[in-house]
Amino acid sequence: MKKYWTPLTLVCALLVLTSGSLLFLDINSKNIVLMHEWIGILMVIAVLGHAFLYKNSIIKHLSRKNNIVMMATILLLGIAMIQSDKEVEQSNNVSVALFDSIDNAPITLMSELTHQPINNLIDKIKLAGFTVDDPKQSIVQIAQLNHQQPEDIISVIYKK
């Protein structure tokens, strides 16, 4: 049985890595989400089996201070990112505030931030099929006007 745990762990890791990357890029079909979830559960089992077989090696790694610091940092970061949508809306989270300020920024400011002349930027947004009534409109306002999400407008702004 020992010879199967490492290949199983590697294959599961590659599939979870691939599906997770697709989800991160907002390519999230129902099948990709299901694959990510189910292969993720299989990966947990594979990792636990692998860890049980190679526990002496793991104990050796855990005895090194720099490994403990790295694992604790990643664990704390992961735990800090687990929040419900309601908690995120109610929090004073810096990253949430940053993204909100970008979404509510007028196109004139986005023009300056992206080093694109305002007329070129508006033309670029219009060429993508969006209506812009005023350069002082925010990304959220333009998205609402066009029945889209702010991310759709932002992706056009940053597209080369």
Side-chain angles (χ1 to χ4, degrees):
M1 194 64 183
K2 193 173 184 176
K3 65 182 177 179
Y4 297 112
W5 287 109
T6 300
L8 179 63
T9 304
L10 287 172
V11 168
C12 288
L14 288 173
L15 288 172
V16 169
L17 177 92
T18 303
S19 59
S21 298
L22 292 172
L23 293 172
F24 179 78
L25 297 171
D26 283 333
I27 303 171
N28 52 356
S29 74
K30 188 176 182 180
N31 291 335
I32 292 173
V33 171
L34 285 173
M35 179 181 80
H36 187 75
E37 290 173 350
W38 286 99
I39 300 294
I41 291 170
L42 183 59
M43 183 176 159
V44 168
I45 294 167
V47 166
L48 290 175
H50 193 270
F52 180 75
L53 286 173
Y54 297 99
K55 61 183 170 258
N56 292 336
S57 179
I58 291 172
I59 290 168
K60 183 179 169 185
H61 284 291
L62 289 174
S63 67
R64 295 184 185 140
K65 186 177 179 180
N66 58 342
N67 288 347
I68 293 172
V69 170
M70 178 185 61
M71 288 186 275
T73 303
I74 292 170
L75 184 63
L76 289 172
L77 180 63
I79 290 170
M81 294 175 76
I82 299 173
Q83 294 180 353
S84 69
D85 291 338
K86 191 173 186 178
E87 288 174 324
V88 170
E89 288 173 11
Q90 294 173 348
S91 75
N92 291 327
N93 190 324
V94 175
S95 61
V96 171
L98 175 66
F99 286 113
D100 282 347
S101 66
I102 291 170
D103 288 348
N104 291 305
I107 294 299
T108 52
L109 179 59
M110 293 305 294
S111 165
E112 292 174 32
L113 291 173
T114 59
H115 306 287
Q116 299 178 63
I118 186 66
N119 292 335
N120 292 1
L121 185 56
I122 290 173
D123 290 343
K124 186 180 191 182
I125 294 169
K126 287 181 177 179
L127 263 170
F130 298 107
T131 302
V132 179
D133 293 335
D134 184 0
K136 293 179 183 170
Q137 283 180 300
S138 71
I139 292 169
V140 169
Q141 291 169 329
I142 294 170
Q144 288 171 345
L145 177 68
N146 291 279
H147 308 291
Q148 298 293 323
Q149 295 297 317
E151 295 82 15
D152 299 326
I153 310 300
I154 291 171
S155 68
V156 170
I157 291 171
Y158 285 100
K159 193 174 186 178
K160 295 276 178 181

